[in-house]
Amino acid sequence: MFGRGADIGIDLGTASVLIYIKGQGIVLQEPSIIAINNRTNEVLAVGEEAHAMLGRTPQNITAIRPLRRGVIDDCDATEKMLKYFIHKAIGPRLIKPRIAVCVPSGVTEVEKRAVEDATRQAGARKVDVIEEPIAAAIGAGIDISRPCGSMIVDIGGGTADIAVISLGGAVVKKSIKVAGDNFDEAIMVYLRKRHNLLIGEGTAEEIKKNIGSAYKRDFPIEMTAKGRNLVSGLPKHIVLSSDEMLDALAQPIDEIVNAVHVVLESTPPELAADIFDRGIVLTGGGSLIYGLDKLITQRVGINAVIANEAISCVAVGTGLFVEYKYSKQNRKSRAYD
Ligand code: ADP
Ligand code: MG
């Protein structure tokens, strides 16, 4: 441990940040939230602790999600959050680590550079910023270096990223700003319109995880949802069924399935044939909504499977990327010795 620096992979997601250390696995998984004092600009809490403050802060404190909707909404806050997590995960080290960071695909070059700088300042001796679909594919156990097409659909909080990968690069890709957060919003809208019930984001997410459905269940399930009656203004609870969720979530789910369709249509025929044989791999927390794999399989006629450890896939893949890249470089430099 003291002889060589560690190789570290960071998944800087819109919903959560995960840190993977070679030889140790995932050492940190916290919500991408930071609480800041508006007056002094001081960081008050980060991650889990800041999450507890969301929606409950006095005027002088703001708890924010700096990477909303797949882009870096607040660069300064993102930098602060990233530094805090890196320090928390790796502590003081004799030898600086090599770090690869995976950012949402919608970020600009300027934002990428800001992430790179923040990572270097947080103590990295080498920094790589890598594309999410590549990291997701490596983490899902796909050998990306082969001349063979694989399709990855990564559904996070803010974006769904669809890519066809071959020979280590993305041949076709598409990113849409429809993902897990939109499922929550769709549930809130549905309850307001259909049941006159006002609920918060947290409750919507809980409903989604418990009874959300993209495909009709053989045995529907139910759940009690609590909120405020829009007519009387008083607390109210209702019993919701998973079948209702099909209606509530139809629009965002449709948009994701359509995007998969569009990417398949623009995939070169040889690669499309590979995907047909090998199937589509789903990663990211958003892919865990019940039945999305079944629905994609049915609608596009290609077998879709959820990767093992769908939520930590990108972080693991980012960590393995560092290893892969530098072992390749070492091999090359040894060849010239
Ligand atoms: P990001 O890469 O943007 O940080 P993640 O891959 O961590 O996002 O996925 C976050 C999204 O996954 C959130 O919208 C969250 O509600 C959703 N999610 C997590 N677990 C589940 C589940 N079991 N069922 C449905 N959605 C889930
Ligand atoms: Mg992600």
Side-chain angles (χ1 to χ4, degrees):
M1 184 167 168
F2 293 104
R4 290 165 55 206
D7 288 333
I8 293 173
I10 302 176
D11 172 8
L12 183 60
T14 59
S16 48
V17 175
L18 285 85
I19 299 187
Y20 168 94
I21 302 184
K22 182 182 162 186
Q24 292 180 35
I26 303 285
V27 296
L28 180 143
Q29 174 166 12
E30 298 211 29
S32 313
I33 300 175
I34 181 166
I36 291 175
N37 183 326
N38 305 328
R39 291 199 201 114
T40 59
N41 221 6
E42 184 194 355
V43 176
L44 297 174
V46 189
E48 292 295 354
E49 229 180 293
H51 185 245
M53 294 183 181
L54 264 188
R56 298 190 177 92
T57 49
Q59 271 176 358
N60 60 330
I61 300 173
T62 21
I64 45 172
R65 290 178 56 186
L67 293 105
R68 270 228 121 147
R69 297 182 204 289
V71 294
I72 297 185
D73 220 21
D74 186 331
C75 231
D76 189 41
T78 303
E79 252 184 68
K80 287 185 174 138
M81 182 177 81
L82 188 58
K83 275 191 203 156
Y84 175 90
F85 284 144
I86 293 176
H87 284 146
K88 183 168 178 184
I90 69 176
R93 292 222 173 211
L94 229 49
I95 300 175
K96 289 180 172 181
R98 292 187 295 221
I99 302 185
V101 190
C102 183
V103 292
S105 55
V107 310
T108 63
E109 282 303 316
V110 175
E111 291 168 344
K112 255 188 215 166
R113 231 165 295 139
V115 168
E116 213 176 306
D117 287 347
T119 312
R120 195 162 287 122
Q121 279 176 36
R125 76 172 191 281
K126 270 212 162 69
V127 184
D128 286 282
V129 177
I130 72 168
E131 287 184 63
E132 186 143 21
I134 304 283
I138 300 175
I142 296 171
D143 179 359
I144 59 158
S145 61
R146 288 180 50 204
C148 183
S150 306
M151 180 181 251
I152 288 282
V153 179
D154 179 79
I155 306 172
T159 58
D161 292 284
I162 302 149
V164 174
I165 294 167
S166 176
L167 287 170
V171 182
V172 190
K173 59 181 176 179
K174 186 174 175 65
S175 175
I176 57 169
K177 290 193 183 347
V178 180
D181 292 346
N182 303 76
F183 300 161
D184 302 347
E185 276 161 32
I187 292 173
M188 290 167 83
V189 170
Y190 174 87
L191 287 179
R192 200 169 62 222
K193 286 196 176 150
R194 196 64 64 85
H195 296 284
N196 273 326
L197 187 72
L198 197 66
I199 57 165
E201 274 177 37
T203 307
E205 187 179 16
E206 203 185 321
I207 296 172
K208 170 182 74 175
K209 289 185 180 172
N210 286 332
I211 62 164
S213 309
Y215 196 87
K216 197 167 167 54
R217 298 183 192 235
D218 292 337
F219 303 99
I221 50 175
E222 287 180 340
M223 172 185 170
T224 304
K226 292 182 203 139
R228 183 149 54 90
N229 185 333
L230 272 172
V231 183
S232 68
L234 297 173
K236 165 182 169 176
H237 63 264
I238 57 161
V239 176
L240 271 177
S241 115
S242 55
D243 279 350
E244 281 182 86
M245 290 296 110
L246 292 169
D247 247 5
L249 296 167
Q251 199 204 343
I253 296 278
D254 250 15
E255 285 185 51
I256 292 176
V257 179
N258 286 342
V260 171
H261 224 259
V262 169
V263 171
L264 279 170
E265 275 169 4
S266 44
T267 300
E270 280 80 7
L271 296 181
D274 294 340
I275 295 167
F276 191 82
D277 291 341
R278 298 159 55 98
I280 298 172
V281 178
L282 308 181
T283 62
S287 70
L288 297 177
I289 191 125
Y290 175 86
L292 189 60
D293 47 347
K294 291 192 179 107
L295 185 74
I296 293 178
T297 304
Q298 187 193 58
R299 296 265 284 272
V300 303
I302 296 176
N303 194 33
V305 288
I306 301 169
N308 287 333
E309 311 293 338
I311 292 187
S312 54
C313 232
V314 169
V316 174
T318 309
L320 295 177
F321 171 89
V322 190
E323 241 172 272
Y324 168 79
K325 177 173 167 181
Y326 294 104
S327 68
K328 222 166 62 177
Q329 277 184 0
N330 289 344
R331 273 201 304 278
K332 260 192 207 150
S333 59
R334 270 203 299 274
Y336 294 113
D337 281 350

